[in-house]
């Protein structure tokens, strides 16, 4: 379908189908306590994992209906062999104007060059601490120096819009907000603090551990002085702020000020299940019809009909529960998670 004929598909709240997160694997080489703290999980069956060609075909159907940004995530996307090949396949579709990657950075130094040459537009590295010992404590792995190498490789390769995503956790890294901003400055990167979310269930979330946007601004204000909001938002989840010296940083207040009203993103798991919301309990299996030979028209119609019926506002609903005192622990019971691996954040992509 040519771009001129592209349908603009909107859900029941008028939110367009805009940004697609493709989780390329549910496996990860770190065990962050807020995401994937257990040693072993019920993994998605290998035979069900989509090939890169299948992922690109699906992305094409989404592009027919308005998607113009694709973010590769996981699990850890760089665990997937030759990820650059998927980037090249996606880049062949002119309607997809941006292909981005979210990674923990451990394997980034080995792959930054080939990803850049394949046409990857943006890299976001998750980095929650600058202290090697804290990193080991948080992730269960001694990989801090490799993450640093990964971050350094991004600039050397030619990428110019590095983002660093930090999950801000009360009692864990609130003393590192300033140092992380300074670190990001050094690499011409922009740091974004993400409020700790109660996604999945094995992640030991509690409201007390959430370092709120308000508190983040308060702590940074004490250190830097007056902080001014940058007036823009659109469908981007981050609210950006400016320090007195002009440094920009972002906050994603997913827990205290959810951005459901503008959410144009949806997620496809590595085995082709499509989730309309990070908090959704079930998704739509796109792998089955694809492998059974559904036509392009049938696939498009399936995606279109599901999106036009979308009414999810998962983060706002969680917030509403909080108001009546019913938001205490994780979202999903651990036994239920063991039965359905899709329900964890590492399966559906953060
Ligand atoms: N492995 C890659 C990485 O580390 O960036 C991509 C997948 S990871 C699930 C994507 C993002 O989700 C990371 O930035 C991670 O910090 C974030 N994340 C995971 N669990 C979270 C939680 N409970 N609250 C907030 N952010 C979370």
């Amino acid at each position: 379908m040519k771009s001129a004929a592209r349908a603009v598909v909107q859900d029941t709240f008028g939110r367009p189908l805009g940004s697609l997160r493709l989780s390329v694997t549910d496996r990860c080489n770190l065990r962050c306590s807020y995401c994937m703290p257990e040693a072993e999980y019920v993994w998605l069956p290998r035979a069900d994992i989509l090939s890169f060609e299948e992922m690109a075909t699906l992305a094409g159907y989404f592009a027919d209906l308005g998607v113009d940004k694709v973010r590769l995530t996981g699990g850890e996307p760089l665990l997937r062999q030759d990820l650059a090949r998927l980037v090249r396949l996606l880049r062949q579709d002119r309607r997809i104007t941006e292909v981005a990657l979210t990674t923990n950075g451990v394997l980034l130094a080995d792959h930054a060059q080939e990803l850049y040459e394949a046409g990857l537009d943006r890299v976001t590295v998750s980095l929650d601490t600058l202290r090697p010992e804290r990193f080991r404590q948080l992730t269960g792995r001694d990989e801090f120096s490799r993450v640093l190498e990964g971050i350094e490789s991004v600039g050397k390769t030619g990428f110019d819009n590095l983002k660093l995503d930090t999950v801000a956790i009360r009692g864990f890294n609130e003393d590192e907000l300033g140092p992380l901003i300074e670190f990001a400055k050094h690499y011409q990167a922009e740091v974004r603090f993400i409020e700790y979310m109660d996604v999945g269930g094995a992640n030991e979330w509690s409201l007390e551990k959430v370092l709120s946007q308000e508190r983040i601004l308060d702590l940074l204000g004490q250190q830097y002085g007056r902080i001014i909001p940058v007036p823009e938002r659109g469908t981007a989840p981050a609210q950006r702020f400016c320090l007195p010296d002009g440094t920009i940083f972002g906050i994603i207040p997913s827990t205290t000020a959810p951005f459901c009203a503008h959410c144009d993103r949806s997620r496809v798991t590595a085995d082709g299940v499509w989730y309309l919301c990070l908090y959704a309990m079930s998704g739509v299996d796109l792998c089955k019809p694809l492998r059974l030979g559904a036509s392009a028209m049938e696939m498009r119609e399936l995606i279109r009909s599901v999106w036009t019926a979308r009414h999810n506002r998962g983060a706002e609903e969680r917030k509403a529960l909080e108001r009546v005192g019913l938001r205490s622990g994780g979202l999903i019971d651990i036994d239920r998670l063991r039965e359905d691996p899709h329900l964890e954040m590492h399966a559906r992509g953060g």
Side-chain angles (χ1 to χ4, degrees):
M1 200 186 274
K2 296 228 162 52
S3 54
R6 243 166 135 190
V8 177
V9 179
Q10 295 185 342
D11 72 4
T12 56
F13 295 119
R15 298 171 296 189
L17 180 58
S19 158
L20 183 69
R21 302 196 157 216
L22 264 182
S23 172
V24 298
T25 176
D26 58 333
R27 309 265 170 161
C28 192
N29 44 2
L30 298 182
R31 286 292 179 275
C32 300
S33 60
Y34 56 74
C35 182
M36 206 179 176
E38 308 211 327
E40 274 305 315
Y41 284 85
V42 179
W43 305 108
L44 300 175
R46 234 162 237 279
D48 295 353
I49 302 293
L50 299 179
S51 68
F52 286 162
E53 284 72 17
E54 288 172 322
M55 287 183 182
T57 301
L58 278 183
Y61 298 142
F62 280 95
D64 289 340
L65 297 168
V67 162
D68 56 359
K69 294 191 181 74
V70 175
R71 178 168 289 275
L72 305 178
T73 179
E76 173 46 41
L78 292 176
L79 285 179
R80 196 75 195 247
Q81 287 281 314
D82 197 12
L83 191 69
R85 195 166 69 78
L86 176 59
V87 173
R88 272 194 297 278
L89 287 173
L90 294 169
R91 264 329 213 150
Q92 281 167 17
D93 191 327
R94 288 292 170 94
R95 299 158 310 170
I96 298 173
T97 55
E98 187 180 294
V99 179
L101 170 74
T102 299
T103 171
N104 60 32
V106 175
L107 299 171
L108 189 54
D110 301 337
H111 299 288
Q113 185 67 38
E114 68 204 28
L115 288 165
Y116 182 71
E117 284 166 12
L120 186 73
D121 297 284
R122 285 171 166 275
V123 179
T124 299
V125 178
S126 302
L127 180 71
D128 305 312
T129 176
L130 296 169
R131 301 188 189 179
E133 182 44 35
R134 236 181 222 183
F135 182 93
R136 202 187 54 72
Q137 184 200 336
L138 176 76
T139 66
R141 303 284 188 274
D142 209 357
E143 299 283 21
F144 181 70
S145 56
R146 289 176 84 196
V147 176
L148 287 194
E149 279 167 35
I151 290 171
E152 267 173 28
S153 71
V154 173
K156 285 188 196 143
T157 308
F159 291 104
D160 60 2
N161 41 19
L162 175 65
K163 288 210 164 67
L164 299 177
D165 276 5
T166 300
V167 182
I169 302 176
R170 202 202 271 173
F172 174 70
N173 58 1
E174 67 216 281
D175 54 346
E176 290 198 68
L177 305 182
L180 279 158
I181 285 187
E182 295 305 319
F183 176 86
K185 238 195 256 182
H186 180 75
Y187 289 99
Q188 284 89 49
E190 189 172 311
V191 71
R192 298 189 305 182
F193 299 108
I194 310 173
E195 286 182 352
Y196 191 1
M197 289 183 276
D198 56 344
V199 281
N203 70 11
E204 300 156 9
W205 182 90
S206 77
L207 202 49
E208 290 71 46
K209 291 185 192 160
V210 177
L211 193 61
S212 66
Q213 163 161 271
E214 195 184 347
R215 182 75 184 129
I216 293 170
L217 288 173
D218 190 33
L219 287 168
L220 288 172
Q222 286 169 28
Q223 181 174 346
Y224 289 99
R226 189 150 178 258
I227 296 173
I228 301 168
V230 177
E232 48 162 358
R233 184 128 182 201
T235 58
Q239 165 72 63
R240 295 166 84 223
F241 296 91
C242 186
L243 296 177
D245 71 355
T247 305
I248 305 280
F249 68 96
I251 302 180
I252 305 182
S254 350
T255 302
T256 65
F259 48 90
C260 301
H262 307 285
C263 180
D264 70 343
R265 64 208 58 205
S266 62
R267 302 174 148 78
V268 174
T269 59
D271 62 344
V273 180
W274 182 33
Y275 283 87
L276 304 185
C277 174
L278 199 49
Y279 286 92
M281 290 297 177
S282 59
V284 177
D285 187 353
L286 298 179
C287 176
K288 204 186 232 165
L290 185 74
R291 289 191 177 169
L292 286 173
S295 68
M297 212 165 76
E298 287 166 334
M299 291 300 293
R300 270 198 299 270
E301 186 44 34
L302 171 62
I303 295 169
R304 202 191 56 74
S305 63
V306 170
W307 189 263
T308 50
R310 178 187 189 239
H311 57 267
N312 305 64
R313 303 176 77 111
E316 286 178 359
E317 282 162 12
R318 298 295 295 163
K319 182 96 191 113
L321 281 183
E322 185 186 311
R323 284 188 208 106
V324 289
L326 290 174
R327 187 185 202 178
S328 48
L331 175 66
I332 306 159
D333 178 70
I334 190 76
D335 292 330
R336 173 109 198 271
L337 284 167
R338 288 191 179 118
E339 277 164 28
D340 185 358
H342 294 99
L343 295 174
E344 281 288 12
M345 179 84 141
H346 64 263
R348 62 179 65 181

